[in-house]
Amino acid sequence: MRIVGGRPVAIRIERPGGVRAGAVMDGARLVKKLAHRGLVALPEGQEGMLAPLPDSLSEGQTTRVEVMREPMREQGRAKMLRVRPSGAVPAAGPSLRARIAADAPVREVRAAEGETLDDHDWNELIEQARQGVRPFTGGSLLIEPTAAFTAIDVDGDLPARDLAFAAAPEVAHAIALFDLQGNIVVDFPTLPDKADRVRIGDLFDAAVGFACERTAVNGFGLMQIVLRRTRASTIELLQGQSVCGATLALLRRAERSRGRGWLTLRAHPAVIARLEKKEALAEELSQRTGRPVILRADPKCPIDGGEPINEVEA
């Protein structure tokens, strides 16, 4: 979470494992040549799309590549990572912590300390990302990732002109807050006056603190924004991996729970099944808290409604 002037302006999540953008690796084997690109198999076992395809590279040969876009999942389909030829020194891609530290000082919030991320509205922002709803005074942004682009619909009770003007800077803030990338299409209220549509763009530009390109707002109220896409956004991570997100959120709450004796995790059966499959997660929680952990599946519990329960040993 990045906080500026006491206000959260960016939240980021990084799942463990996987290949990160910026990684440079040897041993990418060309599996199949395609038009101006090629399918390659990486040493980690993943497949990627290589572009541009060197003329000298034949099927079966290996080469050094740099990861330009991490693998991700969109609308139920897997989207393989994208790589390009590289002459750089092999190295792992920078972690989320490293990327943050490159721009600003990092302060860790530990479970044993009094301060929590929720003191800075973390849980509320995570819920906004999960639901795809970002409220603002007079309206809200409805954010929905699709296979082609991320759609942002402006909704509210204000008059159309006032609503569009109020929403324009909020769109910029939401893009930065949730790390939206790639093609973004914003549906503003339709305004017949061209000067008003120009004003929407000006208000958006004044609030933007990141590199992007955009179109003008057309007569139907649509504006397209394009940013470089290197990884899944916070919204995509939370909406596309609900069980994973709910599991990690439960572990975070459990680590901060206070009590003695058994620590019982009551949660949806899918969350408990994930914890049983990944035994190391519950074992690490036990080590961090110094308490034995019990898993209890409850079919009546919502997917994100798991809770830690303190139970005194008999």
Side-chain angles (χ1 to χ4, degrees):
M1 172 181 283
R2 183 182 182 189
I3 299 175
V4 176
R7 176 191 179 192
V9 297
I11 60 172
R12 300 289 184 268
I13 294 174
E14 183 174 74
R15 302 301 191 210
V19 179
R20 300 190 186 105
V24 177
M25 62 188 73
D26 282 323
R29 179 174 56 85
L30 180 61
V31 175
K32 185 177 181 179
K33 282 190 173 184
L34 303 171
H36 309 295
R37 56 183 182 163
L39 179 66
V40 295
L42 300 179
E44 287 79 1
Q46 294 178 304
E47 290 187 330
M49 195 61 64
L50 173 65
L53 180 64
D55 295 334
S56 60
L57 191 64
S58 301
E59 291 182 1
Q61 290 185 319
T62 61
T63 187
R64 182 177 296 177
V65 297
E66 178 184 357
V67 177
M68 303 305 296
R69 187 190 67 199
E70 298 174 3
M72 58 190 71
R73 181 165 293 276
E74 294 180 339
Q75 296 293 305
R77 66 170 185 170
K79 195 168 185 178
M80 67 177 59
L81 54 79
R82 183 175 296 169
V83 298
R84 70 178 181 186
S86 176
V89 176
S95 66
L96 174 59
R97 181 190 176 97
R99 297 196 303 271
I100 295 174
D103 296 328
V106 175
R107 183 166 62 89
E108 292 189 11
V109 179
R110 300 183 182 276
E113 299 172 352
E115 183 183 14
T116 68
L117 288 176
D118 198 33
D119 293 333
H120 305 284
D121 298 328
W122 172 266
N123 287 341
E124 179 181 347
L125 295 174
I126 289 295
E127 190 60 27
Q128 290 178 15
R130 183 178 288 115
Q131 295 183 9
V133 179
R134 172 64 175 167
F136 61 90
T137 303
S140 62
L141 304 178
L142 308 180
I143 308 171
E144 181 180 3
T146 73
F149 52 78
T150 298
I152 300 180
D153 182 51
V154 177
D155 190 25
D157 298 326
L158 296 174
R161 187 170 182 268
D162 295 338
L163 179 61
F165 290 171
E170 296 299 331
V171 169
H173 296 155
I175 292 173
L177 182 65
F178 299 125
D179 199 21
L180 304 183
Q181 303 174 31
N183 292 319
I184 302 168
V185 176
V186 187
D187 186 9
F188 289 101
T190 301
L191 300 180
D193 192 330
K194 183 177 180 180
D196 287 341
R197 301 199 297 271
V198 171
R199 176 63 175 162
I200 293 174
D202 291 342
L203 290 169
F204 173 83
D205 292 343
V208 164
F210 48 84
C212 70
E213 297 181 6
R214 70 165 180 85
T215 65
V217 180
N218 67 21
F220 298 100
L222 299 179
M223 180 172 74
Q224 182 180 7
I225 306 162
V226 181
L227 296 89
R228 182 185 176 194
R229 184 158 168 76
T230 58
R231 59 183 58 86
S233 69
T234 303
I235 282 183
E236 289 171 315
L237 286 172
L238 291 172
Q239 293 184 1
Q241 303 180 35
S242 58
V243 174
C244 178
T247 303
L248 296 177
L250 174 60
L251 291 171
R252 186 172 59 249
R253 291 194 295 271
E255 184 181 1
R256 286 163 171 77
S257 65
R258 297 289 184 266
R260 300 174 59 186
W262 300 99
L263 177 56
T264 298
L265 303 185
R266 184 186 71 87
H268 188 278
V271 173
I272 297 301
R274 185 176 182 88
L275 287 170
E276 291 174 340
K277 182 178 180 181
K278 296 183 176 295
E279 297 179 358
L281 294 176
E283 291 174 358
E284 183 178 354
L285 174 63
S286 180
Q287 292 174 359
R288 285 173 177 263
T289 59
R291 303 167 63 187
V293 175
I294 298 176
L295 305 179
R296 181 184 299 170
D298 184 353
K300 297 181 180 180
C301 184
I303 194 71
D304 56 352
E307 61 177 348
I309 302 174
N310 294 311
E311 297 183 332
V312 179
E313 297 174 278

